[in-house]
PDB file of all heavy atoms in Angstrom:
ATOM      1  N   PHE A   1       0.848  -1.239  -0.104  1.00  0.00           N
ATOM      2  CA  PHE A   1       0.011  -0.031   0.020  1.00  0.00           C
ATOM      3  C   PHE A   1       0.866   1.226   0.019  1.00  0.00           C
ATOM      4  O   PHE A   1       0.575   2.187  -0.675  1.00  0.00           O
ATOM      5  CB  PHE A   1      -0.943   0.133   1.222  1.00  0.00           C
ATOM      6  CG  PHE A   1      -1.990  -1.018   1.111  1.00  0.00           C
ATOM      7  CD1 PHE A   1      -2.380  -1.645   2.282  1.00  0.00           C
ATOM      8  CD2 PHE A   1      -2.595  -1.350   0.020  1.00  0.00           C
ATOM      9  CE1 PHE A   1      -3.379  -2.609   2.279  1.00  0.00           C
ATOM     10  CE2 PHE A   1      -3.570  -2.356  -0.039  1.00  0.00           C
ATOM     11  CZ  PHE A   1      -3.993  -2.951   1.124  1.00  0.00           C
ATOM     12  N   LEU A   2       1.995   1.242   0.838  1.00  0.00           N
ATOM     13  CA  LEU A   2       2.805   2.407   0.804  1.00  0.00           C
ATOM     14  C   LEU A   2       3.534   2.611  -0.470  1.00  0.00           C
ATOM     15  O   LEU A   2       3.607   3.762  -0.931  1.00  0.00           O
ATOM     16  CB  LEU A   2       3.896   2.328   2.129  1.00  0.00           C
ATOM     17  CG  LEU A   2       3.308   2.261   3.376  1.00  0.00           C
ATOM     18  CD1 LEU A   2       4.525   1.945   4.406  1.00  0.00           C
ATOM     19  CD2 LEU A   2       2.767   3.610   3.650  1.00  0.00           C
ATOM     20  N   ALA A   3       4.011   1.457  -1.036  1.00  0.00           N
ATOM     21  CA  ALA A   3       4.713   1.645  -2.405  1.00  0.00           C
ATOM     22  C   ALA A   3       3.746   2.182  -3.448  1.00  0.00           C
ATOM     23  O   ALA A   3       4.003   2.970  -4.281  1.00  0.00           O
ATOM     24  CB  ALA A   3       5.233   0.252  -2.803  1.00  0.00           C
ATOM     25  N   GLU A   4       2.488   1.734  -3.387  1.00  0.00           N
ATOM     26  CA  GLU A   4       1.499   2.234  -4.461  1.00  0.00           C
ATOM     27  C   GLU A   4       1.256   3.645  -4.230  1.00  0.00           C
ATOM     28  O   GLU A   4       1.152   4.439  -5.152  1.00  0.00           O
ATOM     29  CB  GLU A   4       0.257   1.369  -4.404  1.00  0.00           C
ATOM     30  CG  GLU A   4       0.415   0.084  -5.037  1.00  0.00           C
ATOM     31  CD  GLU A   4      -0.833  -0.814  -4.916  1.00  0.00           C
ATOM     32  OE1 GLU A   4      -1.840  -0.388  -4.233  1.00  0.00           O
ATOM     33  OE2 GLU A   4      -1.000  -1.888  -5.571  1.00  0.00           O
ATOM     34  N   ALA A   5       1.019   3.983  -2.887  1.00  0.00           N
ATOM     35  CA  ALA A   5       0.627   5.439  -2.581  1.00  0.00           C
ATOM     36  C   ALA A   5       1.883   6.498  -2.953  1.00  0.00           C
ATOM     37  O   ALA A   5       1.561   7.608  -3.284  1.00  0.00           O
ATOM     38  CB  ALA A   5       0.351   5.594  -1.171  1.00  0.00           C
ATOM     39  N   MET A   6       3.045   5.931  -2.827  1.00  0.00           N
ATOM     40  CA  MET A   6       4.305   6.833  -3.185  1.00  0.00           C
ATOM     41  C   MET A   6       4.849   6.690  -4.449  1.00  0.00           C
ATOM     42  O   MET A   6       5.789   7.187  -4.783  1.00  0.00           O
ATOM     43  CB  MET A   6       5.348   6.657  -2.007  1.00  0.00           C
ATOM     44  CG  MET A   6       4.809   7.036  -0.683  1.00  0.00           C
ATOM     45  SD  MET A   6       6.048   7.007   0.566  1.00  0.00           S
ATOM     46  CE  MET A   6       5.551   5.557   1.387  1.00  0.00           C
ATOM     47  N   ASP A   7       4.346   5.671  -5.220  1.00  0.00           N
ATOM     48  CA  ASP A   7       4.886   5.352  -6.543  1.00  0.00           C
ATOM     49  C   ASP A   7       6.245   5.023  -6.505  1.00  0.00           C
ATOM     50  O   ASP A   7       7.085   5.498  -7.406  1.00  0.00           O
ATOM     51  CB  ASP A   7       4.457   6.470  -7.574  1.00  0.00           C
ATOM     52  CG  ASP A   7       4.646   6.049  -9.015  1.00  0.00           C
ATOM     53  OD1 ASP A   7       4.402   4.941  -9.407  1.00  0.00           O
ATOM     54  OD2 ASP A   7       5.127   6.925  -9.876  1.00  0.00           O
ATOM     55  N   VAL A   8       6.578   3.978  -5.615  1.00  0.00           N
ATOM     56  CA  VAL A   8       7.910   3.462  -5.612  1.00  0.00           C
ATOM     57  C   VAL A   8       7.787   1.944  -5.529  1.00  0.00           C
ATOM     58  O   VAL A   8       6.799   1.366  -5.391  1.00  0.00           O
ATOM     59  CB  VAL A   8       8.665   3.988  -4.278  1.00  0.00           C
ATOM     60  CG1 VAL A   8       8.836   5.443  -4.215  1.00  0.00           C
ATOM     61  CG2 VAL A   8       8.098   3.532  -3.057  1.00  0.00           C
ATOM     62  N   SER A   9       9.048   1.253  -5.680  1.00  0.00           N
ATOM     63  CA  SER A   9       9.061  -0.130  -5.698  1.00  0.00           C
ATOM     64  C   SER A   9       8.810  -0.588  -4.276  1.00  0.00           C
ATOM     65  O   SER A   9       9.300   0.011  -3.198  1.00  0.00           O
ATOM     66  CB  SER A   9      10.323  -0.654  -6.030  1.00  0.00           C
ATOM     67  OG  SER A   9      10.465  -2.070  -5.915  1.00  0.00           O
ATOM     68  N   VAL A  10       8.117  -1.716  -4.010  1.00  0.00           N
ATOM     69  CA  VAL A  10       7.900  -2.354  -2.649  1.00  0.00           C
ATOM     70  C   VAL A  10       9.315  -2.683  -2.167  1.00  0.00           C
ATOM     71  O   VAL A  10       9.419  -2.746  -0.870  1.00  0.00           O
ATOM     72  CB  VAL A  10       6.925  -3.427  -2.806  1.00  0.00           C
ATOM     73  CG1 VAL A  10       7.408  -4.626  -3.520  1.00  0.00           C
ATOM     74  CG2 VAL A  10       6.330  -3.805  -1.387  1.00  0.00           C
ATOM     75  N   GLU A  11      10.280  -2.892  -3.005  1.00  0.00           N
ATOM     76  CA  GLU A  11      11.584  -3.276  -2.414  1.00  0.00           C
ATOM     77  C   GLU A  11      12.075  -2.117  -1.776  1.00  0.00           C
ATOM     78  O   GLU A  11      13.157  -2.370  -0.903  1.00  0.00           O
ATOM     79  CB  GLU A  11      12.336  -3.771  -3.678  1.00  0.00           C
ATOM     80  CG  GLU A  11      11.973  -5.122  -4.215  1.00  0.00           C
ATOM     81  CD  GLU A  11      12.746  -5.544  -5.458  1.00  0.00           C
ATOM     82  OE1 GLU A  11      13.688  -4.806  -5.898  1.00  0.00           O
ATOM     83  OE2 GLU A  11      12.463  -6.572  -5.933  1.00  0.00           O
ATOM     84  N   ASP A  12      11.803  -0.948  -1.938  1.00  0.00           N
ATOM     85  CA  ASP A  12      12.415   0.307  -1.323  1.00  0.00           C
ATOM     86  C   ASP A  12      11.644   0.503   0.010  1.00  0.00           C
ATOM     87  O   ASP A  12      12.143   1.464   0.652  1.00  0.00           O
ATOM     88  CB  ASP A  12      12.134   1.568  -2.195  1.00  0.00           C
ATOM     89  CG  ASP A  12      12.857   1.344  -3.561  1.00  0.00           C
ATOM     90  OD1 ASP A  12      13.951   0.761  -3.483  1.00  0.00           O
ATOM     91  OD2 ASP A  12      12.419   2.048  -4.413  1.00  0.00           O
ATOM     92  N   ILE A  13      10.627  -0.281   0.300  1.00  0.00           N
ATOM     93  CA  ILE A  13       9.977   0.017   1.641  1.00  0.00           C
ATOM     94  C   ILE A  13      10.403  -0.891   2.697  1.00  0.00           C
ATOM     95  O   ILE A  13      10.394  -2.208   2.408  1.00  0.00           O
ATOM     96  CB  ILE A  13       8.438  -0.172   1.434  1.00  0.00           C
ATOM     97  CG1 ILE A  13       7.887   0.621   0.282  1.00  0.00           C
ATOM     98  CG2 ILE A  13       7.697   0.067   2.675  1.00  0.00           C
ATOM     99  CD1 ILE A  13       7.837   2.064   0.552  1.00  0.00           C
ATOM    100  N   GLN A  14      10.777  -0.523   3.885  1.00  0.00           N
ATOM    101  CA  GLN A  14      11.135  -1.231   4.968  1.00  0.00           C
ATOM    102  C   GLN A  14      10.032  -0.872   6.077  1.00  0.00           C
ATOM    103  O   GLN A  14       9.863   0.294   6.403  1.00  0.00           O
ATOM    104  CB  GLN A  14      12.413  -0.944   5.578  1.00  0.00           C
ATOM    105  CG  GLN A  14      13.664  -1.475   4.602  1.00  0.00           C
ATOM    106  CD  GLN A  14      13.582  -2.861   4.379  1.00  0.00           C
ATOM    107  OE1 GLN A  14      13.404  -3.813   5.278  1.00  0.00           O
ATOM    108  NE2 GLN A  14      13.804  -3.194   3.145  1.00  0.00           N
ATOM    109  N   ALA A  15       9.408  -1.835   6.427  1.00  0.00           N
ATOM    110  CA  ALA A  15       8.124  -1.600   7.345  1.00  0.00           C
ATOM    111  C   ALA A  15       7.738  -2.845   8.154  1.00  0.00           C
ATOM    112  O   ALA A  15       8.236  -3.995   7.785  1.00  0.00           O
ATOM    113  CB  ALA A  15       6.941  -1.153   6.585  1.00  0.00           C
ATOM    114  N   MET A  16       6.980  -2.666   9.147  1.00  0.00           N
ATOM    115  CA  MET A  16       6.500  -3.775  10.031  1.00  0.00           C
ATOM    116  C   MET A  16       5.141  -3.490  10.779  1.00  0.00           C
ATOM    117  O   MET A  16       4.928  -2.245  11.030  1.00  0.00           O
ATOM    118  CB  MET A  16       7.521  -4.127  11.013  1.00  0.00           C
ATOM    119  CG  MET A  16       7.194  -5.391  11.850  1.00  0.00           C
ATOM    120  SD  MET A  16       8.355  -5.638  13.285  1.00  0.00           S
ATOM    121  CE  MET A  16      10.012  -5.349  12.572  1.00  0.00           C
ATOM    122  N   VAL A  17       4.407  -4.464  10.804  1.00  0.00           N
ATOM    123  CA  VAL A  17       3.187  -4.232  11.657  1.00  0.00           C
ATOM    124  C   VAL A  17       3.231  -5.346  12.832  1.00  0.00           C
ATOM    125  O   VAL A  17       3.884  -6.332  12.659  1.00  0.00           O
ATOM    126  CB  VAL A  17       1.900  -4.378  10.850  1.00  0.00           C
ATOM    127  CG1 VAL A  17       1.773  -3.452   9.788  1.00  0.00           C
ATOM    128  CG2 VAL A  17       1.858  -5.717  10.154  1.00  0.00           C
ATOM    129  N   LEU A  18       2.545  -4.940  13.935  1.00  0.00           N
ATOM    130  CA  LEU A  18       2.343  -5.760  15.029  1.00  0.00           C
ATOM    131  C   LEU A  18       1.053  -5.842  15.551  1.00  0.00           C
ATOM    132  O   LEU A  18       0.216  -5.052  15.120  1.00  0.00           O
ATOM    133  CB  LEU A  18       3.273  -5.059  16.280  1.00  0.00           C
ATOM    134  CG  LEU A  18       4.703  -5.096  16.082  1.00  0.00           C
ATOM    135  CD1 LEU A  18       5.347  -4.332  17.361  1.00  0.00           C
ATOM    136  CD2 LEU A  18       5.396  -6.474  15.962  1.00  0.00           C
ATOM    137  N   GLY A  19       0.753  -6.926  16.330  1.00  0.00           N
ATOM    138  CA  GLY A  19      -0.631  -7.054  16.926  1.00  0.00           C
ATOM    139  C   GLY A  19      -1.322  -8.163  16.178  1.00  0.00           C
ATOM    140  O   GLY A  19      -0.798  -8.893  15.406  1.00  0.00           O
ATOM    141  N   GLY A  20      -2.571  -8.454  16.775  1.00  0.00           N
ATOM    142  CA  GLY A  20      -3.286  -9.468  16.187  1.00  0.00           C
ATOM    143  C   GLY A  20      -3.692  -9.306  14.958  1.00  0.00           C
ATOM    144  O   GLY A  20      -3.922  -8.089  14.431  1.00  0.00           O
ATOM    145  N   HIS A  21      -4.064 -10.254  14.117  1.00  0.00           N
ATOM    146  CA  HIS A  21      -4.489 -10.088  12.703  1.00  0.00           C
ATOM    147  C   HIS A  21      -6.029  -9.449  12.777  1.00  0.00           C
ATOM    148  O   HIS A  21      -6.947 -10.021  13.286  1.00  0.00           O
ATOM    149  CB  HIS A  21      -4.699 -11.581  12.203  1.00  0.00           C
ATOM    150  CG  HIS A  21      -5.006 -11.556  10.693  1.00  0.00           C
ATOM    151  ND1 HIS A  21      -4.255 -10.964   9.737  1.00  0.00           N
ATOM    152  CD2 HIS A  21      -6.188 -12.054  10.170  1.00  0.00           C
ATOM    153  CE1 HIS A  21      -4.858 -11.158   8.574  1.00  0.00           C
ATOM    154  NE2 HIS A  21      -5.957 -11.758   8.679  1.00  0.00           N
ATOM    155  N   GLY A  22      -6.026  -8.304  12.159  1.00  0.00           N
ATOM    156  CA  GLY A  22      -7.231  -7.694  12.015  1.00  0.00           C
ATOM    157  C   GLY A  22      -7.117  -6.248  12.655  1.00  0.00           C
ATOM    158  O   GLY A  22      -6.144  -5.470  12.457  1.00  0.00           O
ATOM    159  N   ASP A  23      -8.228  -5.789  13.140  1.00  0.00           N
ATOM    160  CA  ASP A  23      -8.347  -4.366  13.744  1.00  0.00           C
ATOM    161  C   ASP A  23      -7.356  -4.065  14.803  1.00  0.00           C
ATOM    162  O   ASP A  23      -7.017  -2.842  14.986  1.00  0.00           O
ATOM    163  CB  ASP A  23      -9.814  -4.151  14.262  1.00  0.00           C
ATOM    164  CG  ASP A  23     -10.761  -4.257  13.164  1.00  0.00           C
ATOM    165  OD1 ASP A  23     -10.510  -4.149  12.019  1.00  0.00           O
ATOM    166  OD2 ASP A  23     -11.939  -4.428  13.577  1.00  0.00           O
ATOM    167  N   THR A  24      -6.767  -4.913  15.448  1.00  0.00           N
ATOM    168  CA  THR A  24      -5.697  -4.645  16.455  1.00  0.00           C
ATOM    169  C   THR A  24      -4.361  -4.425  16.000  1.00  0.00           C
ATOM    170  O   THR A  24      -3.536  -4.178  16.742  1.00  0.00           O
ATOM    171  CB  THR A  24      -5.871  -5.673  17.670  1.00  0.00           C
ATOM    172  OG1 THR A  24      -5.511  -7.005  17.115  1.00  0.00           O
ATOM    173  CG2 THR A  24      -7.240  -5.658  18.314  1.00  0.00           C
ATOM    174  N   MET A  25      -4.155  -4.762  14.708  1.00  0.00           N
ATOM    175  CA  MET A  25      -2.784  -4.738  14.163  1.00  0.00           C
ATOM    176  C   MET A  25      -2.415  -3.249  14.048  1.00  0.00           C
ATOM    177  O   MET A  25      -3.277  -2.359  13.574  1.00  0.00           O
ATOM    178  CB  MET A  25      -2.796  -5.473  12.800  1.00  0.00           C
ATOM    179  CG  MET A  25      -1.503  -5.579  12.304  1.00  0.00           C
ATOM    180  SD  MET A  25      -1.394  -6.851  10.990  1.00  0.00           S
ATOM    181  CE  MET A  25      -1.296  -8.301  12.093  1.00  0.00           C
ATOM    182  N   VAL A  26      -1.235  -2.945  14.352  1.00  0.00           N
ATOM    183  CA  VAL A  26      -0.758  -1.604  14.285  1.00  0.00           C
ATOM    184  C   VAL A  26       0.489  -1.429  13.453  1.00  0.00           C
ATOM    185  O   VAL A  26       1.531  -2.147  13.689  1.00  0.00           O
ATOM    186  CB  VAL A  26      -0.473  -1.090  15.707  1.00  0.00           C
ATOM    187  CG1 VAL A  26       0.153   0.294  15.683  1.00  0.00           C
ATOM    188  CG2 VAL A  26      -1.580  -1.231  16.742  1.00  0.00           C
ATOM    189  N   PRO A  27       0.551  -0.538  12.335  1.00  0.00           N
ATOM    190  CA  PRO A  27       1.635  -0.372  11.760  1.00  0.00           C
ATOM    191  C   PRO A  27       2.717   0.468  12.528  1.00  0.00           C
ATOM    192  O   PRO A  27       2.431   1.371  13.260  1.00  0.00           O
ATOM    193  CB  PRO A  27       1.305   0.448  10.468  1.00  0.00           C
ATOM    194  CG  PRO A  27      -0.104   1.144  10.964  1.00  0.00           C
ATOM    195  CD  PRO A  27      -0.550   0.196  11.957  1.00  0.00           C
ATOM    196  N   LEU A  28       3.941   0.081  12.451  1.00  0.00           N
ATOM    197  CA  LEU A  28       4.973   0.875  13.174  1.00  0.00           C
ATOM    198  C   LEU A  28       5.519   1.991  12.333  1.00  0.00           C
ATOM    199  O   LEU A  28       6.594   1.770  11.630  1.00  0.00           O
ATOM    200  CB  LEU A  28       6.133  -0.193  13.667  1.00  0.00           C
ATOM    201  CG  LEU A  28       5.661  -1.262  14.523  1.00  0.00           C
ATOM    202  CD1 LEU A  28       6.844  -2.115  14.935  1.00  0.00           C
ATOM    203  CD2 LEU A  28       5.113  -0.743  15.862  1.00  0.00           C
ATOM    204  N   VAL A  29       4.841   3.022  12.281  1.00  0.00           N
ATOM    205  CA  VAL A  29       5.097   4.170  11.379  1.00  0.00           C
ATOM    206  C   VAL A  29       6.533   4.720  11.649  1.00  0.00           C
ATOM    207  O   VAL A  29       7.277   5.000  10.734  1.00  0.00           O
ATOM    208  CB  VAL A  29       4.054   5.182  11.532  1.00  0.00           C
ATOM    209  CG1 VAL A  29       4.376   6.403  10.573  1.00  0.00           C
ATOM    210  CG2 VAL A  29       2.624   4.679  11.164  1.00  0.00           C
ATOM    211  N   SER A  30       6.985   4.827  12.948  1.00  0.00           N
ATOM    212  CA  SER A  30       8.199   5.317  13.210  1.00  0.00           C
ATOM    213  C   SER A  30       9.423   4.581  12.800  1.00  0.00           C
ATOM    214  O   SER A  30      10.529   5.003  12.779  1.00  0.00           O
ATOM    215  CB  SER A  30       8.210   5.719  14.785  1.00  0.00           C
ATOM    216  OG  SER A  30       8.191   4.566  15.492  1.00  0.00           O
TER     217      SER A  30
END
């Protein structure tokens, strides 16, 4: 989603989410 929004390759994105699968999952934006 980030790669599409910024028009970059997904390979350029380093990211992680934590939490339970679903509404409690939190992206670690920082």
Side-chain angles (χ1 to χ4, degrees):
F1 292 143
L2 291 173
E4 286 179 350
M6 292 186 262
D7 195 29
V8 299
S9 170
V10 72
E11 293 175 0
D12 295 329
I13 307 286
Q14 294 297 317
M16 185 186 312
V17 295
L18 294 177
H21 183 65
D23 294 341
T24 61
M25 190 158 282
V26 178
L28 299 180
V29 177
S30 60

